[in-house]
Amino acid sequence: MLSRVANSLYWMSRNVERAENNARILDVQLLQMIEAADEELIRDSDWKLIYEICASTETMEHIKSLPSYQEDQLVHYLAMEETNFNSVARCVRIVRENARISRDHIPDDYWEAWNDCYLALKEMDQQSCTVKEMRQFLEQVKLTSLITQGIVESAMPRGVPYQIIKIAKWLERAEKTARVLNVVCERTRERVLEAQSEDYYYWLAALRMTNGYNAYLKMNPPQMDPKKVLTFLIANTNFPRSIRYCLTHVRKAIDELEGGKISHYSWELYAKLDQLQEEFEEISIVELNSDEIMDFLNDFQNGCNEVGEIFSKTYYLSDSETKPRESSQSQSMGAKGITSMKYKVEHTNVFQYETIVDQSMNSIRLKPRTDECQRLLSYRADITPASLTKEHIDIWGNHVETFFIAEHHQHLEVKTTSIVSIQKSPFIHRIDYSPEMSAIFHSQLFREHYLAFLSNTAYTYLTIEQMSQVDRELGIMKNPVQYAIDVMEHIHQHFTYDGESTTVDTKAQESFDLRKGVCQDITHVMLGILRSKYIPARYVSGYLYVGENSALVGDAASHAWVEVMVPGIGWVGLDPTNNVEALENHIRVGVGRDYNDVSPVQGVYRGGSQSLDVKVSVSLMDQ
C-alpha cells in the first residue's frame, strides 16, 4: 500500500476515535451541568477539567473573558467550532474526507455511515444551535463511531488497511485514556489539598468519560476507590479502553502488519513498544502515591506520542509539520494532514479541415485517472459529428477512447466534461531519504522494474555536452529526491515559458539550447536530466487549476509535469514550469514516457490540411 493511502486510513481512524471520545466527554459534562444545577463553583471546576482534557485552560479563560460570554459558548467551542482542530464537528469532517479519499479500501457501509453523519452536521445551524441540538449531534457521532467499528470488524479483510485502522484506533484510545487520568489525578490532588479529604466525584467522571462505568461496577464493589479505578483503567487486560489493553493490541496489529518479523526499518518502533510494555510489567498501581502515578501517566502519554511519531516516520505518514499550531495538545495531529479539492474540467478540441474529409479514425486520451490521489466522479465525451466510442486501457494505464467517422465532414469537435476530486500527494520536501530508500534505489530489481521510465526517448534525449553543463551547474547527485527538486528549481530559473518558440514536435535538446518553451518542452528537459541519473521519471499530462491572483501558468490548454518514483512512497509530482509540487491543483489524465504516449488526440483522416483550436476550462466546485 502506498503511504498516502495508509495516511488517509490512519488519520480517518484516529479522528473516528477522537470524535467519539470528545463527544462522550462533552456529553458527560453536559449531563453533570444538569446535575450540578446552579452550583457555580462546581460547574467552573468541571469546565476546567474538560478543557484540560480536550483543549486548554487558556482557551477556556479566553472564551470566558469575551464581553458576550455565555456558558453555551464553552459547549460550542468543543462541539462545533471550526477553528478548533479537536472539535467534534471538525473531527467528523476529517473522518468523512479521509473515508471519501480511501473508499476503495473500506466497506461501503462505513463510508455511508460517516457521510450521513456529515450531512446531518451540514444541515445544522452550527453558529446558533442550542445545547439540546448539540447533544443530539454528539449522540449521533457516538452511535456512528460504534456502528462503523462494528462494520470494520464484520466486513473488512484482515489485510494492511485493517491493521492500519486498528493501530490508529488503539493509539488514539490509549493516549486519550492516559490524558483523562492524568488530568483527573491533578484535579483530585488539588481538591484533597483544599478539603483535606478524598473526592470521588472526578473518579466517577473518569469512568464515564472512558465508557467504563458499567464495566467497572461489574468487576468491583460499587464504590469509587481511586486505586481500583486507576488499576482498572491503566492495567486491566480485559477492558478495551484500558491503557494496557490498547498497547497490547497496537503491538499485535504491528506484528500482523510486519508478518511477525522485526525489520531494519521497524526496529525503533518495536523497541519503543517493548519499553512501554516493560514499564507496565514493573509497576504496581496500588503501591504508588499520587505524584508517582502522575509521573507514570505523563511518561506514558509522552511514550504514546512517540510511538505515533515513530509509526508515522516508519511508514511515511504525515509528519509533525502538519500539526496545527493552534492547539497545545498532541491530539491535534492529522487535522491538516489531508487536503482535497473538487474540480469541473471542460476540454474542447475543434478541428477545421481545409477540404471535406470523407472518413477519419481517432483516439482520445482525455479521461482523468482514478488512483490513490485522485478520484474521477463523472466523465462525458461529446463528439460532433456523432460517433460511438470504444474504450480500452493502454500499457501505461491510461484510458483511451477510439471512434470512427465514416460520413463526410469538414469540422470535428471533441468536448469532454469531467468532475474530479484531488487529494494532496506527499510533500516531497519533507521526505527523509533513508538508507533503506537508498538501498532500494540502487538495487537491480528497482531499475529493471522501472526500466521504461529510465530510458530516454527521442523527445527526452539530451547530449553528453548538455548533461556536462547540467553537472557543472548542479553538481554531483547524492540524494535523488533532493536532486529532483534541485533540477526542477534550476530549470524554472533558467527557462522562459514561451508559447511561440517551439512546436509540438520540438525535442528536449532543442529546448535545452533555446532555454524556452511550453510546459511540454520544459517537462521533456527535466525528464532527460533525471533519466540520465537513473532516476525513474515519467511524463504526466493533465490540467492545472489556477485561482485568482495565482502565479501559476499553464492552464490555457493541457498541462504537463514530471512524476518521480520515490522508493517506498510512490510517484510524486514535480511541476518545473511553475517550480511547485503537483499537489491538489494538478489533475492527472495520462502518464507515459513522453508526450507521444499521452497525446490528447491522435488520428488519421483522408483529406486536406487542418487547423486546431483548443479550449480548456478548470473551475473549482464546492465539496
Side-chain angles (χ1 to χ4, degrees):
M1 177 182 292
L2 293 179
S3 62
R4 52 192 142 206
V5 179
N7 189 74
S8 296
L9 294 170
Y10 179 78
W11 287 116
M12 176 191 75
S13 183
R14 288 206 69 154
N15 279 280
V16 166
E17 186 68 25
R18 189 174 306 167
E20 182 194 342
N21 288 335
N22 288 352
R24 189 179 306 282
I25 290 167
L26 185 54
D27 200 39
V28 168
Q29 169 63 3
L30 295 176
L31 179 63
Q32 291 179 169
M33 281 170 58
I34 297 171
E35 293 175 349
D38 295 325
E39 297 178 44
E40 190 172 336
L41 290 176
I42 293 178
R43 292 165 76 102
D44 283 347
S45 183
D46 285 350
W47 277 120
K48 185 177 181 182
L49 175 76
I50 298 304
Y51 266 76
E52 283 192 341
I53 293 172
C54 298
S56 68
T57 52
E58 291 81 5
T59 302
M60 183 188 76
E61 295 301 329
H62 170 71
I63 294 171
K64 294 176 73 172
S65 67
L66 297 173
S68 58
Y69 167 72
Q70 293 181 346
E71 194 173 31
D72 289 0
Q73 290 172 274
L74 294 173
V75 183
H76 183 275
Y77 181 81
L78 297 179
M80 296 293 176
E81 181 58 51
E82 185 63 23
T83 60
N84 174 15
F85 290 102
N86 287 313
S87 75
V88 177
R90 184 64 182 266
C91 289
V92 168
R93 292 179 187 276
I94 296 169
V95 170
R96 188 257 187 183
E97 178 62 16
N98 282 282
R100 184 180 63 81
I101 290 166
S102 53
R103 282 184 65 180
D104 293 340
H105 301 271
I106 58 176
D108 289 341
D109 291 341
Y110 189 103
W111 152 254
E112 289 169 3
W114 279 110
N115 192 48
D116 288 344
C117 187
Y118 168 79
L119 294 176
L121 173 64
K122 283 194 71 174
E123 290 174 1
M124 295 175 64
D125 184 351
Q126 295 178 45
Q127 297 303 316
S128 58
C129 58
T130 64
V131 171
K132 180 180 179 180
E133 290 171 328
M134 282 188 274
R135 281 203 70 188
Q136 291 173 343
F137 171 67
L138 297 177
E139 194 63 36
Q140 182 175 1
V141 170
K142 289 190 292 180
L143 187 60
T144 303
S145 174
L146 295 173
I147 289 171
T148 51
Q149 287 184 53
I151 291 170
V152 167
E153 294 302 325
S154 64
M156 277 195 76
R158 272 35 178 178
V160 174
Y162 174 85
Q163 303 303 340
I164 293 289
I165 288 172
K166 302 303 286 185
I167 290 167
K169 167 188 170 180
W170 297 120
L171 273 176
E172 182 72 27
R173 184 175 291 185
E175 184 182 324
K176 180 63 85 173
T177 300
R179 186 169 185 84
V180 168
L181 291 178
N182 207 346
V183 173
V184 167
C185 283
E186 178 66 29
R187 296 281 73 76
T188 302
R189 187 173 65 171
E190 290 179 2
R191 293 285 286 271
V192 168
L193 292 175
E194 290 173 3
Q196 297 298 314
S197 63
E198 288 285 355
D199 191 327
Y200 304 109
Y201 175 77
Y202 284 138
W203 296 111
L204 173 63
L207 288 169
R208 286 178 172 174
M209 289 175 186
T210 54
N211 201 22
Y213 181 66
N214 290 330
Y216 173 80
L217 291 182
K218 290 175 182 177
M219 300 175 67
N220 296 277
Q223 60 184 22
M224 293 297 108
D225 183 333
K227 289 296 178 72
K228 288 186 180 295
V229 174
L230 283 167
T231 301
F232 178 73
L233 292 178
I234 292 175
N236 191 288
T237 57
N238 296 315
F239 179 58
R241 288 184 178 270
S242 79
I243 293 173
R244 185 165 191 173
Y245 187 98
C246 294
L247 195 63
T248 300
H249 281 71
V250 169
R251 175 62 184 260
K252 285 182 179 179
I254 291 174
D255 281 341
E256 290 291 329
L257 197 63
E258 290 295 316
K261 299 177 181 178
I262 300 178
S263 303
H264 56 281
Y265 60 84
S266 61
W267 71 267
E268 187 180 1
L269 180 60
Y270 275 102
K272 188 62 189 178
L273 288 169
D274 287 344
Q275 178 192 332
L276 292 177
Q277 290 277 23
E278 288 172 6
E279 290 175 1
F280 270 107
E281 299 294 337
E282 296 171 358
I283 197 166
S284 173
I285 303 299
V286 177
E287 297 176 0
L288 300 180
N289 59 39
S290 59
D291 288 340
E292 290 170 334
I293 290 174
M294 288 182 59
D295 289 341
F296 169 78
L297 291 170
N298 271 324
D299 291 342
F300 179 81
Q301 193 174 348
N302 292 335
C304 272
N305 293 337
E306 194 174 342
V307 169
E309 290 173 4
I310 295 171
F311 182 81
S312 296
K313 183 178 71 173
T314 302
Y315 297 101
Y316 303 106
L317 309 184
S318 295
D319 64 14
S320 59
E321 289 186 50
T322 64
K323 297 178 190 178
R325 299 289 188 262
E326 290 85 346
S327 173
S328 61
Q329 295 191 59
S330 63
Q331 294 183 16
S332 63
M333 288 172 60
K336 287 186 177 179
I338 297 296
T339 299
S340 72
M341 310 289 271
K342 186 160 70 173
Y343 301 104
K344 180 179 182 180
V345 182
E346 293 179 313
H347 185 152
T348 305
N349 291 281
V350 179
F351 294 88
Q352 201 70 40
Y353 301 106
E354 185 180 39
T355 60
I356 292 177
V357 173
D358 62 1
Q359 57 182 281
S360 64
M361 174 70 77
N362 301 276
S363 296
I364 58 174
R365 290 176 173 83
L366 297 170
K367 186 176 184 179
R369 303 164 71 91
T370 291
D371 54 29
E372 293 82 5
C373 288
Q374 175 173 298
R375 179 178 289 273
L376 178 62
L377 304 178
S378 69
Y379 172 79
R380 176 178 175 176
D382 296 305
I383 300 169
T384 307
S387 176
L388 295 175
T389 64
K390 184 176 181 179
E391 183 175 337
H392 70 276
I393 305 297
D394 68 13
I395 191 174
W396 313 114
N398 304 315
H399 294 275
V400 184
E401 296 171 276
T402 59
F403 59 93
F404 176 69
I405 301 176
E407 64 185 88
H408 289 187
H409 58 284
Q410 200 168 353
H411 169 93
L412 172 62
E413 179 176 315
V414 180
K415 180 180 179 181
T416 60
T417 305
S418 310
I419 296 179
V420 186
S421 176
I422 308 293
Q423 173 198 349
K424 274 186 179 177
S425 58
F427 289 108
I428 193 171
H429 290 81
R430 296 178 182 171
I431 293 174
D432 180 20
Y433 188 66
S434 64
E436 294 78 27
M437 294 169 72
S438 179
I440 296 172
F441 176 79
H442 289 99
S443 69
Q444 184 67 24
L445 182 63
F446 183 74
R447 293 192 177 182
E448 289 176 356
H449 189 75
Y450 295 106
L451 183 61
F453 302 113
L454 286 169
S455 305
N456 273 309
T457 66
Y459 271 106
T460 66
Y461 174 76
L462 294 174
T463 66
I464 295 175
E465 291 76 15
Q466 289 171 330
M467 280 306 303
S468 296
Q469 183 178 341
V470 171
D471 289 340
R472 289 193 298 272
E473 294 171 346
L474 288 179
I476 303 301
M477 182 195 76
K478 297 180 180 178
N479 174 343
V481 177
Q482 186 59 49
Y483 186 79
I485 297 171
D486 294 342
V487 170
M488 175 180 69
E489 294 176 348
H490 177 78
I491 291 176
H492 180 74
Q493 291 171 2
H494 294 86
F495 280 68
T496 303
Y497 185 84
D498 183 354
E500 304 297 326
S501 59
T502 58
T503 70
V504 72
D505 298 315
T506 302
K507 307 299 189 292
Q509 54 186 303
E510 302 171 57
S511 306
F512 187 94
D513 291 335
L514 289 171
R515 296 287 170 133
K516 63 176 66 173
V518 294
C519 54
Q520 171 187 319
D521 306 303
I522 295 171
T523 297
H524 281 150
V525 171
M526 183 168 175
L527 288 172
I529 296 173
L530 296 179
R531 290 174 183 172
S532 296
K533 298 298 182 182
Y534 302 105
I535 300 174
R538 65 186 186 184
Y539 185 102
V540 186
S541 71
Y543 306 105
L544 178 67
Y545 172 71
V546 177
E548 295 181 8
N549 303 318
S550 174
L552 299 177
V553 297
D555 64 325
S558 295
H559 193 55
W561 60 95
V562 172
E563 281 188 339
V564 178
M565 170 50 65
V566 180
I569 301 294
W571 292 104
V572 180
L574 295 172
D575 182 354
T577 304
N578 293 293
N579 192 28
V580 296
E581 295 182 51
L583 300 174
E584 72 274 16
N585 283 32
H586 292 71
I587 303 161
R588 301 157 71 248
V589 173
V591 301
R593 297 164 300 176
D594 55 30
Y595 170 80
N596 194 53
D597 286 337
V598 296
S599 176
V601 182
Q602 294 176 327
V604 293
Y605 63 92
R606 200 156 61 185
S609 61
Q610 66 175 20
S611 62
L612 171 63
D613 182 34
V614 180
K615 295 179 181 177
V616 171
S617 169
V618 182
S619 55
L620 182 64
M621 302 178 69
D622 293 332
Q623 292 293 319

